[in-house]
Amino acid sequence: MQQHAAIEMRHISKAFGAIKANENVDLEVRSGEVHALLGENGAGKSTLMNMLSGIYSPDSGSIFIKGTEVHFSSPKQPIKLGIGMIHQHFKLIDILTAKENIILGQGGGFFVKGKELSKEIKHISDTYGLDINPDKKVYEMSVGEKQTLEIIKVLYRGAKILIMDEPTAVLTPQEIKRLFGILRNMRDQGCAIIIITHKLNEVMEISDRITVLRKGKTIATVETAKTEVSDLIEMMVGKSVDLAIARENIAEKKMLLSVDNLHVFDSEKRHALNEVSFELYGGEILGVAGVAGSGQKELCETIAGLIHAEKGRIFFDGDNIVGKNPRDIIRLGIRMGFIPEDRLGMGLVASMDIVHNLILKDYQNQPGIFLKRKHIVEKAHKIVKRLDIQTPGIYSPVRKLSGGNIQKVLLGREIDSNPRVLITAYPVRGLDIGASYKIYELLNEQKRLGVGVLFIGEDLDVLLELCDRIMVLFDGNVTGIVEARSVTKEELGLMMAGGFQSREALSC
Amino acid sequence: MLRIIKREDVSKRQSILIRFIAILLSLVFSGVFIFILGFNPIEVFGNMVIGALGTEMRIKETIIKAIPLIITSLGILVAFKMKFWNIGGEGQIIMGAFAATYIALNYSDNFSRPVVLILMMLAAMITGGIWAFIPAFFKVKFGTNETIFTLMMNYIALKWVTYLQYGPWKDPNSQGFPKVANFEVNAILPSVFGIHIGWIIAIVLTIIIAIFMNYTKKGYEITVVGESIDTAKYAGMNIKMIVITAMLISGGLCGLTGMIQASAIEKTLTVSLSGGYGFTAIITTWLSNLKAPFVLMTSLAFAVLLQGGSYIQIAMQVPSSVADMIQGMILFFVLGSEFFIRYTIGLKSKEVA
């Protein structure tokens, strides 16, 4: 008898208004394989998975689970059929224990059968090589532990088909290795696993087969062992892309920014930054690595004057800028281009056009009470041309532009002010590969001009290729500042997990 | 089965068409109600237009009703542009009228007429501004909800004036009747072309506010704060100052309405002088899409409705609440139409069970 695939999606189409998110997509996932779903942002990966987890229903096409056709109209049905989805943002309750989180929403009897449950959790853990303390509270857990808990949670609900959305985004390299070990175990036990990601190296490492989506269509399903990274990129982007990031050595380096023993508290009076000290030189790109939420946001915002520093000093060109608000910093003529993490929520006004977004950083230096727009209009034309921004015109609201073009407007504005220090947080988040490389190029151009660039990144491969030095943050502490040319990913990983830099590496 | 689809892009013409249909529908539904009440809707609507625009006298009355609506709406517009929901127009109008009355009752004889009137205007704008400043201060300092706060401030203002009317400011010559003394000529706004000078003030203010919102740095800042507070902070704006300035302007304009109503219409201070303009202005401001030139149009349209409403009461014994109801209907349908501007409803191509 023919073995049925765990999941088969045939000719799936789904449109949102005029946008075809999925068009005639085919996907087949077998039991006992790790299947990577690869594609750029907006390729339709999430839409497809949301249909599999019952959040959307397809406009046309059919879904088969183990050979039986299904029509999901609520997210509960797929769970019953053994499909479990693990989202990028964990859905756990901090003040409850692992055990309590697992049974949450499970109904059943009024009383919690503690012992039985612990036994069952232990059974699941042993089967798949997971390791968790059922009585530990979620807020005491590391990110890796939380993810393990999420996995146990869906397994407890009987999932045999696991969908993981960007599972490695928040993990250190060591934690990723552990996760992959778990996934391999589960595969060997006959589970079907779909992982959604855009990190190619990981795809090559963990997956058995890969389905590539582009612009809502299935491009191909290939076997990982018979595929090269360059082929995958070509399938994702639609053309071959040169993936080398240039890194030049700038001989003359002048110290621009000196951060000295900086302490910043968060809203709950805990240390968001603790004893942070580093220097930024002109003509270098200083990368900042660290798992999400290690203090990157606070670091950027403190330098830009947006949040208050509890203690410590930041020297810019010899002046201490701690305690000055952003307006003072702009007024003093200190040019610090700051590209915030949340582009549209902070940095750009979504409903305003390019011209009015460019005025944002300019108007306070204008004399008088009236806005002067004329020179900004010229500037807008110049920036659109220089950065090749795809827009219907300079009077089109930025909200209507694509992510890459929005990022270019923001970067264009900051670069145009001839900054001496440029702070960028996740400048390529949400961008496709082509657009990302354009941004790297722009940052390199700034470096050549003698600008000091602080680059908060998430992809270690990119940090290693692009930056001159990398500073690692862990829980608000600097765990190391290393030469990007000589450090390895594993060393960075150890520092990201809180291990301080070893003595020998400290020499740079 | 029906499903809701987000619209990708709405052209200007489409959105105007949708709003126009909404107003048309509101009239149709009001017509049905009027019919149920036992009147001929066509006749009622016709009489409303005649009552508002039929004679020169009636046109003047309509314009007189439009003046406070325009000025109050401009005030509300400045606040709404910042997404600060100022529901306290009524209170700000009343407090403005109170301050103007204080000047009128005490200093009418001390100065010439223009000086008295200018003093009354300044006092009204400052007091209206303070009435709006209080909720703005608490909002920026403690993050209080401005909607509730401004609303409650209305009642305080109302009761304060009631107290004055029945107590300390009761006219000794009114033979025990609880009313504030009438203003002297020095404290009454003059007329130009048979309508009190407020109409010139309204037009000038419309132009000023249009320029202020579109061409000044402050206006730009107010818009940015309304769109995204984080972005405003990031750009180095002083948000607290912007919120407070905008609310002083908003309350100041409403206060000025109070002065005009007290001086030109009532010629004294009464609790009913705000006449609901503070609330109606919310509708006209919203309908104007927060654009000052359109405020003139929507306010005139609503003045026609108000004037026509009081006419049908006299001419046809139709309760004037019918006019209120039509107002409510228009607001309901126009707010509802915002949904259709953003979304469209289509049929599901295939049933998925």
Side-chain angles (χ1 to χ4, degrees):
Chain A
M1 203 183 90
Q2 197 204 335
Q3 182 74 30
H4 285 297
I7 298 171
E8 201 180 344
M9 299 178 90
R10 262 191 232 153
H11 313 304
I12 300 282
S13 294
K14 175 79 186 170
F16 297 100
I19 293 179
K20 286 180 182 145
N22 281 156
E23 205 182 340
N24 218 358
V25 172
D26 292 312
L27 174 71
E28 182 224 39
V29 183
R30 298 171 194 150
S31 294
E33 77 165 344
V34 176
H35 196 109
L37 194 56
L38 194 62
E40 301 201 304
N41 276 287
K45 295 169 294 186
S46 308
T47 309
L48 192 66
M49 288 304 109
N50 279 332
M51 283 188 272
L52 205 51
S53 51
I55 294 168
Y56 299 144
S57 44
D59 294 342
S60 64
S62 20
I63 304 174
F64 298 88
I65 305 292
K66 302 228 158 74
T68 333
E69 184 161 8
V70 290
H71 300 283
F72 296 138
S73 58
S74 90
K76 275 191 180 164
Q77 293 164 332
I79 293 174
K80 269 192 205 144
L81 287 171
I83 301 176
M85 176 129 181
I86 296 171
H87 294 270
Q88 204 174 345
H89 302 283
F90 303 141
K91 302 185 186 313
L92 296 169
I93 296 175
D94 273 353
I95 54 158
L96 297 183
T97 62
K99 202 156 69 178
E100 286 162 337
N101 266 289
I102 289 168
I103 54 158
L104 206 66
Q106 288 295 293
F110 182 74
F111 293 102
V112 175
K113 300 186 188 77
K115 265 189 194 155
E116 249 171 71
L117 189 63
S118 295
K119 222 161 129 192
E120 200 158 340
I121 292 170
K122 190 157 184 327
H123 175 71
I124 293 172
S125 305
D126 290 345
T127 316
Y128 299 105
L130 298 158
D131 177 26
I132 201 145
N133 173 2
D135 295 311
K136 196 167 179 179
K137 303 241 185 209
V138 170
Y139 65 81
E140 293 171 328
M141 292 184 182
S142 71
V143 183
E145 282 178 289
K146 285 182 194 171
Q147 194 170 45
T148 309
L149 174 57
E150 280 279 11
I151 296 174
I152 295 179
K153 209 170 91 182
V154 294
L155 291 175
Y156 178 78
R157 291 175 190 189
K160 285 280 173 199
I161 299 166
L162 204 66
I163 307 167
M164 301 190 86
D165 188 4
E166 300 272 351
T168 60
V170 291
L171 302 182
T172 64
Q174 283 75 12
E175 286 174 316
I176 292 173
K177 230 170 225 162
R178 219 175 55 87
L179 171 71
F180 284 178
I182 295 169
L183 294 185
R184 285 194 192 99
N185 267 333
M186 292 174 64
R187 175 188 65 193
D188 297 341
Q189 302 282 336
C191 289
I193 299 159
I194 303 177
I195 83 166
I196 305 174
T197 178
H198 57 251
K199 290 186 188 164
L200 294 165
N201 299 342
E202 291 172 2
V203 170
M204 296 305 287
E205 191 184 333
I206 184 72
S207 70
D208 300 302
R209 290 196 305 155
I210 305 165
T211 294
V212 182
L213 294 185
R214 184 172 79 227
K215 290 181 181 152
K217 292 181 186 152
T218 313
I219 300 304
T221 298
V222 293
E223 283 187 35
T224 311
K226 295 177 186 163
T227 312
E228 297 288 325
V229 172
S230 55
D231 301 333
L232 290 177
I233 294 171
E234 210 172 318
M235 283 190 266
M236 278 166 76
V237 184
K239 57 179 185 228
S240 61
V241 175
D242 180 17
L243 274 193
I245 306 177
R247 175 165 51 197
E248 288 173 46
N249 250 327
I250 309 292
E252 199 185 335
K253 284 183 180 164
K254 186 177 164 248
M255 187 163 64
L256 284 176
L257 199 70
S258 161
V259 176
D260 177 29
N261 194 23
L262 194 65
H263 290 250
V264 174
F265 286 156
D266 65 11
S267 54
E268 280 150 46
K269 294 272 164 223
R270 284 188 307 232
H271 266 104
L273 289 177
N274 190 21
E275 288 179 41
V276 169
S277 299
F278 66 94
E279 276 106 39
L280 176 66
Y281 294 89
E284 77 159 348
I285 299 181
L286 174 63
V288 178
V291 290
S294 298
Q296 295 98 323
K297 185 169 185 271
E298 288 78 6
L299 179 63
C300 294
E301 294 188 355
T302 313
I303 298 175
L306 289 168
I307 52 179
H308 165 77
E310 203 56 41
K311 209 173 113 188
R313 292 173 299 179
I314 302 172
F315 290 101
F316 176 83
D317 235 7
D319 291 324
N320 184 7
I321 57 168
V322 164
K324 296 194 194 311
N325 62 39
R327 196 183 194 120
D328 291 339
I329 292 174
I330 296 171
R331 280 227 179 110
L332 273 170
I334 295 176
R335 300 199 198 95
M336 188 144 56
F338 170 51
I339 301 177
E341 215 172 315
D342 180 1
R343 292 188 290 273
L344 272 182
M346 183 176 190
L348 291 174
V349 183
S351 63
M352 287 184 173
D353 56 38
I354 296 179
V355 174
H356 284 88
N357 271 297
L358 293 182
I359 291 178
L360 199 63
K361 277 294 187 72
D362 180 86
Y363 82 99
Q364 288 185 351
N365 297 324
Q366 294 180 358
I369 61 162
F370 290 102
L371 276 183
K372 288 163 194 63
R373 292 197 178 88
K374 223 174 169 182
H375 66 289
I376 303 284
V377 172
E378 285 163 27
K379 196 185 274 184
H381 283 300
K382 201 179 87 191
I383 290 175
V384 166
K385 212 175 140 195
R386 182 172 162 204
L387 302 193
D388 190 24
I389 297 171
Q390 302 297 317
T391 166
I394 57 168
Y395 292 111
S396 169
V398 295
R399 132 176 70 84
K400 290 196 179 152
L401 306 183
S402 71
N405 287 306
I406 290 173
Q407 185 68 45
K408 282 184 195 168
V409 172
L410 190 54
L411 203 58
R413 181 180 72 198
E414 301 306 335
I415 289 174
D416 186 75
S417 66
N418 298 320
R420 298 187 51 202
V421 169
L422 187 65
I423 305 172
T424 65
Y426 312 117
V428 298
R429 185 178 276 179
L431 302 198
D432 56 41
I433 294 180
S436 300
Y437 279 80
K438 182 91 194 171
I439 301 285
Y440 300 145
E441 229 168 79
L442 286 169
L443 294 178
N444 265 324
E445 196 184 303
Q446 290 300 302
K447 171 178 150 184
R448 279 196 291 278
L449 291 170
V451 177
V453 181
L454 189 69
F455 175 86
I456 319 284
E458 37 193 354
D459 192 333
L460 287 183
D461 294 310
V462 171
L463 279 167
L464 285 170
E465 271 186 78
L466 178 70
C467 302
D468 298 284
R469 293 185 302 150
I470 299 174
M471 170 165 79
V472 185
L473 287 178
F474 168 75
D475 204 14
N477 293 282
V478 176
T479 47
I481 300 176
V482 292
E483 283 292 336
R485 288 169 184 81
S486 53
V487 75
T488 65
K489 230 166 145 178
E490 284 64 36
E491 286 168 324
L492 283 179
L494 282 176
M495 289 184 249
M496 282 165 72
F500 278 83
Q501 185 180 4
S502 59
R503 279 277 158 219
E504 312 90 272
L506 223 127
S507 52
C508 66
Chain B
M1 207 172 112
L2 293 174
R3 61 176 178 160
I4 295 158
I5 305 158
K6 202 162 167 100
R7 272 182 203 263
E8 264 318 296
D9 214 345
V10 188
S11 68
K12 267 211 175 104
R13 188 187 292 173
Q14 256 177 325
S15 68
I16 289 170
L17 184 74
I18 290 172
R19 290 205 173 93
F20 180 76
I21 292 172
I23 291 174
L24 208 68
L25 276 176
S26 66
L27 292 179
V28 169
F29 275 85
S30 315
V32 170
F33 270 101
I34 292 169
F35 182 75
I36 292 169
L37 289 173
F39 299 95
N40 177 351
I42 311 248
E43 205 181 320
V44 169
F45 287 137
N47 267 318
M48 283 179 82
V49 175
I50 293 167
L53 306 168
T55 65
E56 199 190 317
M57 178 67 193
R58 289 175 193 159
I59 292 176
K60 277 181 189 168
E61 275 303 311
T62 303
I63 292 174
I64 284 171
K65 285 205 163 61
I67 292 165
L69 263 183
I70 294 167
I71 300 175
T72 312
S73 302
L74 292 173
I76 303 278
L77 181 146
V78 174
F80 276 21
K81 198 78 188 174
M82 202 172 58
K83 300 220 164 77
F84 187 108
W85 308 117
N86 180 11
I87 312 296
E90 281 291 289
Q92 291 145 23
I93 292 172
I94 292 172
M95 291 311 282
F98 149 73
T101 306
Y102 177 79
I103 302 282
L105 294 181
N106 295 295
Y107 300 102
S108 277
D109 303 328
N110 305 25
F111 304 103
S112 64
R113 190 173 178 188
V115 175
V116 172
L117 287 173
I118 287 171
L119 281 178
M120 284 168 71
M121 286 183 192
L122 286 177
M125 290 176 75
I126 291 167
T127 316
I130 290 171
W131 215 242
F133 166 81
I134 297 168
F137 173 81
F138 279 89
K139 166 104 177 175
V140 299
K141 204 83 191 160
F142 305 109
T144 51
N145 178 318
E146 77 274 13
T147 315
I148 305 279
F149 208 131
T150 49
L151 184 69
M152 291 303 147
M153 293 294 281
N154 289 339
Y155 299 108
I156 299 174
L158 200 67
K159 293 301 164 195
W160 167 240
V161 168
T162 311
Y163 161 72
L164 290 176
Q165 188 178 331
Y166 282 81
W169 285 15
K170 193 161 99 175
D171 185 4
N173 306 321
S174 69
Q175 285 134 19
F177 190 73
K179 80 177 284 300
V180 179
N182 281 344
F183 291 180
E184 289 176 37
V185 181
N186 262 1
I188 293 172
L189 283 172
S191 295
V192 177
F193 302 128
I195 304 170
H196 70 77
I197 202 164
W199 68 271
I200 298 178
I201 299 176
I203 291 173
V204 170
L205 282 175
T206 307
I207 297 167
I208 291 177
I209 293 294
I211 292 173
F212 173 74
M213 290 312 295
N214 293 314
Y215 296 100
T216 67
K217 292 197 220 167
K218 239 332 156 242
Y220 175 71
E221 287 183 328
I222 289 172
T223 314
V224 172
V225 169
E227 291 293 336
S228 162
I229 290 197
D230 281 337
T231 302
K233 264 188 215 152
Y234 156 80
M237 293 180 185
N238 185 341
I239 298 187
K240 292 180 181 178
M241 274 313 293
I242 294 167
V243 170
I244 284 172
T245 315
M247 281 309 284
L248 284 173
I249 295 172
S250 179
L253 287 170
C254 294
L256 181 62
T257 305
M259 178 271 171
I260 290 171
Q261 293 306 96
S263 165
I265 308 296
E266 305 286 339
K267 301 180 174 64
T268 182
L269 179 66
T270 72
V271 283
S272 56
L273 133 169
S274 60
Y277 291 123
F279 294 126
T280 310
I282 295 169
I283 311 177
T284 49
T285 311
W286 199 253
L287 290 180
S288 74
N289 209 5
L290 305 190
K291 294 203 167 55
F294 290 111
V295 161
L296 274 184
M297 286 149 64
T298 55
S299 298
L300 273 170
F302 264 72
V304 167
L305 209 58
L306 292 174
Q307 180 61 20
S310 50
Y311 176 79
I312 53 169
Q313 189 175 21
I314 300 159
M316 303 177 69
Q317 274 78 51
V318 176
S320 72
S321 47
V322 167
D324 293 344
M325 199 190 67
I326 297 173
Q327 271 184 41
M329 287 272 188
I330 292 178
L331 185 67
F332 176 82
F333 277 96
V334 170
L335 291 184
S337 75
E338 300 293 322
F339 173 84
F340 288 95
I341 288 171
R342 245 168 275 154
Y343 301 92
T344 163
I345 286 185
L347 285 170
K348 256 198 176 154
S349 52
K350 193 186 151 199
E351 183 69 29
V352 185

